Amino acid sequence: MKTTSAFRLSGLWRRKAKPFRLTPTEKISAVLLVFLSIFMLAPLVYIFNNALKPYQELFNYPPTLWVRSPSLQNFIELWAITKNSAIPMSRYIFNSVFVAVATVVLVTGVSAMCAYPISKHKFPGHKIVFGSILVTLLFAPETVAIPRYLVVSNLGVMDTYFGHLLPMVAVPVGVFLMKQFIDQLPDELLDAAKIDGAREFTIFLKVVIPICMPAVATISIIAFQDAWGNTETSALFMQDETMKTFPFFISTLTSNMANNVARQGAAAAAALFMFLPNLIIFLLFQSKVITTMAHSGIK
């Protein structure tokens, strides 16, 4: 009887089930989204194909999106530029990777430690402090270039990794995002941890940070993108060539050339190399970014 009833129920479900159909508005929206996706993917396709184009295709007019004769000559040329020089390209790459990773760690740590007391401890003047941090978003980077140079110079960290890291530690956007996320954490959760005997630093590391990982991932992406493509610290604070980063090296590839053709293939390969880490990191953490922007913490 049970088997028969199950078959009857399944047959009833099949008769009532209706095929999934889109409304005319949904069909139009789907078509528009497809075209928009193709349009947004075009730059990605172009930068990949451009790095594989031989010289005769790089200067075609009008420019072509797809490469006809793929070649690795551009990457070979990029590597050969510094092969016989005193500073190999691997040194520039190492500096960039080290600075980018260290910047991500420092920026996320400083942003979280700044946002936590402002959000949960409500010390006297916490609104003024937070407002002052937000005001710094109004300043263009050029307006603080000279004060930043004076600070780095007077601290004696020129030609050191601290000269790369110190100007990039304070990120107002990171503090803002982290505070907005921590604001959603219920105070009862922190009080329960205190009742269990957890110290303030333990609460911060084992309760606040794990819950705020979407915000941490978003700030990490922002910090990595800023550090990976930064040329300011190498140009202003580094006189020692061995301390300069890969983006600065790329900026010198085609400068002071006798013509506009030399090293364009190497520049195309270098542009792809600079773009790939940003793409990979964003694809890995895009869900965290969406969660942060939606402010969907613990309710």
Side-chain angles (χ1 to χ4, degrees):
M1 292 295 294
K2 291 183 179 180
T3 304
T4 304
S5 300
F7 277 114
R8 288 176 180 175
L9 288 175
S10 62
L12 182 63
W13 178 83
R14 290 193 184 94
R15 286 195 299 272
K16 290 185 176 181
K18 296 181 179 179
F20 177 75
R21 293 179 180 177
L22 295 176
T23 63
T25 303
E26 291 174 338
K27 291 179 180 179
I28 296 174
S29 299
V31 172
L32 291 177
L33 288 175
V34 169
F35 280 106
L36 181 62
S37 300
I38 296 174
F39 178 76
M40 296 181 68
L41 284 175
L44 305 183
V45 175
Y46 179 80
I47 195 171
F48 276 93
N49 282 269
N50 203 46
L52 298 174
K53 288 180 180 179
Y55 266 88
Q56 60 270 23
E57 292 188 36
L58 280 174
F59 297 96
N60 281 346
Y61 186 83
T64 57
L65 180 64
W66 301 100
V67 56
R68 298 176 182 175
S69 303
S71 173
L72 297 178
Q73 185 60 38
N74 294 337
F75 297 94
I76 298 173
E77 179 187 0
L78 176 63
W79 189 263
I81 288 174
T82 58
K83 184 177 181 181
N84 299 322
S85 64
I87 311 299
M89 191 177 68
S90 57
R91 176 67 184 186
Y92 296 111
I93 296 175
F94 171 80
N95 290 340
S96 290
V97 172
F98 178 82
V99 170
V101 173
T103 300
V104 168
V105 175
L106 289 175
V107 168
T108 52
V110 170
S111 299
M113 288 189 289
C114 180
Y116 176 60
I118 293 176
S119 175
K120 292 303 180 183
H121 286 274
K122 309 296 183 183
F123 56 88
H126 71 278
K127 292 184 178 180
I128 297 177
V129 173
F130 185 62
S132 301
I133 294 174
L134 295 183
V135 167
T136 60
L137 293 171
L138 302 177
F139 293 93
E142 292 78 11
T143 60
V144 296
I146 295 177
R148 185 179 295 170
Y149 178 84
L150 294 175
V151 170
V152 173
S153 178
N154 292 331
L155 289 176
V157 293
M158 304 278 281
D159 290 326
T160 66
Y161 286 115
F162 288 106
H164 284 292
L165 300 175
L166 189 61
M168 306 186 70
V169 169
V171 180
V173 175
V175 177
F176 173 77
L177 290 177
M178 186 64 72
K179 179 187 178 298
Q180 296 303 106
F181 210 92
I182 295 177
D183 283 344
Q184 299 180 67
L185 301 182
D187 294 333
E188 293 78 9
L189 180 64
L190 306 181
D191 293 336
K194 293 177 181 178
I195 293 174
D196 290 339
R199 297 178 179 271
E200 199 67 49
F201 194 67
T202 303
I203 296 174
F204 175 74
L205 284 181
K206 296 187 176 181
V207 178
V208 176
I209 293 299
I211 294 176
C212 296
M213 283 308 295
V216 171
T218 304
I219 297 170
S220 299
I221 293 174
I222 296 173
F224 181 85
Q225 290 178 341
D226 289 341
W228 184 249
N230 181 269
T231 60
E232 178 186 355
T233 55
S234 295
L236 298 180
F237 311 138
M238 304 295 147
Q239 281 73 46
D240 186 357
E241 193 69 24
T242 61
M243 294 302 301
K244 295 182 178 181
T245 57
F246 189 65
F248 178 83
F249 166 72
I250 293 176
S251 67
T252 63
L253 282 177
T254 57
S255 61
N256 300 322
M257 291 287 103
N259 55 70
N260 295 326
V261 178
R263 295 183 177 179
Q264 290 297 330
L272 176 61
F273 185 84
M274 288 297 301
F275 171 74
L276 277 178
N278 289 323
L279 176 64
I280 293 172
I281 289 179
F282 181 77
L283 291 177
L284 290 176
F285 297 106
Q286 61 175 336
S287 60
K288 301 292 184 182
V289 176
I290 295 172
T291 302
T292 304
M293 296 308 173
H295 301 291
S296 56
I298 293 181
K299 304 297 183 182

